Amino acid sequence: RRQQQRLRIPAVSGERRCSVPMAGCRLTALLVCLVVLTGRSQGFTVEPAQSDLYVRIGEDAEFTVRPSGAIGGGNWEFKGKTPVQWIGTDSSILPEYSSRVNLNFTSGSLVLRSVNELDNGDYRATLTTVGGSQASATITLQALELVGNVSLRSNISELVEHRDSVLLTCSSQGTQLKREWLFNNQPIQQNDRITISGDTLLIAPVNRADTGMYKCIVSNGLNNGSDEMSLVVFYGPDNMKITPQSPVTITNGKDLKLTCSAQSLPSPEYEWFNGTEGPFRGPEFTISSVSKEHSGNYTCHVNNARTGRDISLTVVTEVIEQPSGLGAGAIAGIVIAVIVGAAVIGGGTAYATRKQMTRSIKSGTPSRDHKMLSRGNTARRSLPRERNRAGR
């Protein structure tokens, strides 16, 4: 018989030796012998390049690890199996992985070709130094399809506050790992009205604050996609008021203007009623130069056709007479009359004076007023004397 060859491993620090038959020997036994050589890691570590590995289905997954020192062997474990193990450059690979695995003996990194969803899970690499120190690292594989055709839809087109609920559904193609919901670009938080479950978001019931833009983002580590839509919540009318507020007191002869307003979406219809008169349409109601008969109740009726709701408010108006005493208009009239009267009197006095002076000149006897005027005007004073001489 041919003598069985044996693999001899030199002793470390002159302590232990280990040998197993070379023919048909199992690499597991070799690794056990390697580990027995020492009991301490002596600071040896293994770090994964990334703890989560996202790979598109059909592509290759690269499990990269970085040992802190030179390695003599190791193994990779997945779901209770050991797809690959090695010592030096000798390796043992399970049959189902034989055509899919590419091993780097120097670093212990592994490439798994053409991955699919069955390959998803945790892969644990255990590396051993020549001196027998061990360290491990775990990488989680996610084989995914790209996200595409993200669509956000609502189950109802028109929403009325406090009456309706809405269900938003975010659908997509590919592998979905994460969904994010945004309202006006801010993350949506669940509360007693808002429930997020899987690919749906429920708001029950809606209110006016829910009006805005909704966005759904779907991602899976490889890529992401999104879609958005707007929701409009109809409300009102409510918070109604009339200005000026009731009661309204107005003086006879002045203009009356009443303005009605209410919060509503869409804008409501306004109608005014005065007893049996009306409707007068529009938010404003005006009466020019009111009189006593305009005293009474004025009612504003507001209606929102979309919500089917309406509301009314009444204001009491009283028209009073002009207060006693002279008003501003009367005082102005009196002032004008005094000015006109003074002008007339002044004009009459001047005319009478000129007439008296004319008579004095003709008779040759200057009047008192003429004398006063003549003191300041020599030409006027000598004129009567020349005329008297000519007449003698």
Side-chain angles (χ1 to χ4, degrees):
R1 281 185 185 178
R2 187 176 55 184
Q3 185 178 4
Q4 271 190 333
Q5 295 181 346
R6 305 180 70 86
L7 174 65
R8 298 184 177 276
I9 302 175
V12 179
S13 302
E15 292 183 356
R16 292 184 280 269
R17 293 179 180 270
C18 175
S19 64
V20 295
M22 187 57 135
C25 73
R26 302 181 60 187
L27 287 176
T28 302
L30 293 176
L31 290 174
V32 170
C33 291
L34 191 61
V35 172
V36 169
L37 294 175
T38 183
R40 294 190 176 185
S41 66
Q42 298 179 348
F44 177 64
T45 61
V46 178
E47 297 293 334
Q50 57 193 95
S51 58
D52 293 303
L53 181 60
Y54 299 98
V55 181
R56 187 175 180 178
I57 290 177
E59 295 184 353
D60 297 344
E62 298 182 5
F63 299 88
T64 302
V65 290
R66 299 188 179 100
S68 61
I71 62 173
N75 64 71
W76 281 90
E77 297 176 326
F78 172 66
K79 294 182 178 179
K81 297 181 180 181
T82 306
V84 58
Q85 53 187 331
W86 75 99
I87 182 169
T89 58
D90 294 325
S91 62
S92 173
I93 302 174
L94 294 180
E96 59 265 36
Y97 288 95
S98 60
S99 62
R100 301 179 60 200
V101 166
N102 185 12
L103 180 65
N104 185 319
F105 293 102
T106 302
S107 66
S109 297
L110 179 73
V111 175
L112 183 61
R113 289 187 286 270
S114 188
V115 297
N116 56 59
E117 291 180 343
L118 297 177
D119 296 317
N120 290 345
D122 293 337
Y123 289 76
R124 180 181 177 85
T126 301
L127 306 184
T128 306
T129 66
V130 175
S133 299
Q134 271 192 341
S136 299
T138 300
I139 299 176
T140 302
L141 172 66
Q142 288 284 351
L144 311 167
E145 291 286 2
L146 293 176
V147 170
N149 297 327
V150 179
S151 176
L152 181 60
R153 294 291 180 266
S154 169
N155 68 324
I156 186 171
S157 58
E158 289 194 359
L159 298 167
V160 175
E161 184 179 43
H162 306 314
R163 187 192 73 183
D164 297 324
S165 298
V166 62
L167 181 68
L168 302 182
T169 301
C170 180
S171 60
S172 63
Q173 293 181 349
T175 307
Q176 305 90 26
L177 293 182
K178 180 181 178 182
R179 279 185 178 84
E180 185 178 5
W181 294 88
L182 303 179
F183 173 63
N184 292 335
N185 292 323
Q186 297 297 320
I188 297 177
Q189 304 296 331
Q190 297 192 77
N191 54 39
D192 57 346
R193 293 191 309 112
I194 299 177
T195 303
I196 299 175
S197 177
D199 60 354
T200 63
L201 183 147
L202 174 67
I203 306 177
V206 296
N207 61 40
R208 66 193 67 185
D210 297 322
T211 295
M213 186 66 67
Y214 290 79
K215 187 175 186 178
C216 172
I217 303 175
V218 182
S219 60
N220 63 10
L222 288 179
N223 72 327
N224 62 69
S226 65
D227 192 21
E228 60 184 10
M229 66 174 297
S230 62
L231 286 183
V232 177
V233 179
F234 299 122
Y235 60 88
D238 52 29
N239 297 324
M240 182 181 179
K241 66 178 181 178
I242 296 176
T243 53
Q245 295 181 350
S246 183
V248 177
T249 301
I250 186 170
T251 304
N252 184 29
K254 291 190 175 182
D255 296 340
L256 173 65
K257 181 180 179 181
L258 301 175
T259 302
C260 184
S261 63
Q263 294 182 359
S264 178
L265 186 71
S267 297
E269 296 180 355
Y270 294 89
E271 293 180 332
W272 285 92
F273 296 88
N274 177 21
T276 59
E277 297 182 7
F280 306 96
R281 301 188 186 280
E284 294 184 351
F285 181 78
T286 304
I287 301 177
S288 301
S289 186
V290 297
S291 57
K292 196 69 177 177
E293 60 267 21
H294 291 128
S295 296
N297 296 337
Y298 293 84
T299 300
C300 177
H301 180 78
V302 187
N303 175 63
N304 185 332
R306 288 289 185 91
T307 64
R309 298 167 184 169
D310 58 80
I311 190 173
S312 297
L313 187 62
T314 299
V315 62
V316 179
T317 302
E318 180 183 6
V319 180
I320 60 174
E321 297 295 336
Q322 180 74 32
S324 59
L326 297 177
I331 293 174
I334 293 173
V335 172
I336 294 173
V338 170
I339 293 174
V340 172
V344 171
I345 293 172
T349 303
Y351 174 76
T353 301
R354 287 196 298 272
K355 188 174 182 181
Q356 179 66 32
M357 290 174 62
T358 303
R359 289 175 182 173
S360 299
I361 293 171
K362 289 181 179 180
S363 63
T365 305
S367 66
R368 179 173 176 272
D369 294 333
H370 177 253
K371 291 178 181 179
M372 294 176 65
L373 293 171
S374 297
R375 292 172 186 170
N377 193 329
T378 306
R380 290 182 181 179
R381 184 174 63 242
S382 62
L383 181 60
R385 294 180 181 176
E386 292 177 356
R387 289 184 177 177
N388 286 339
R389 291 192 190 101
R392 287 181 181 174

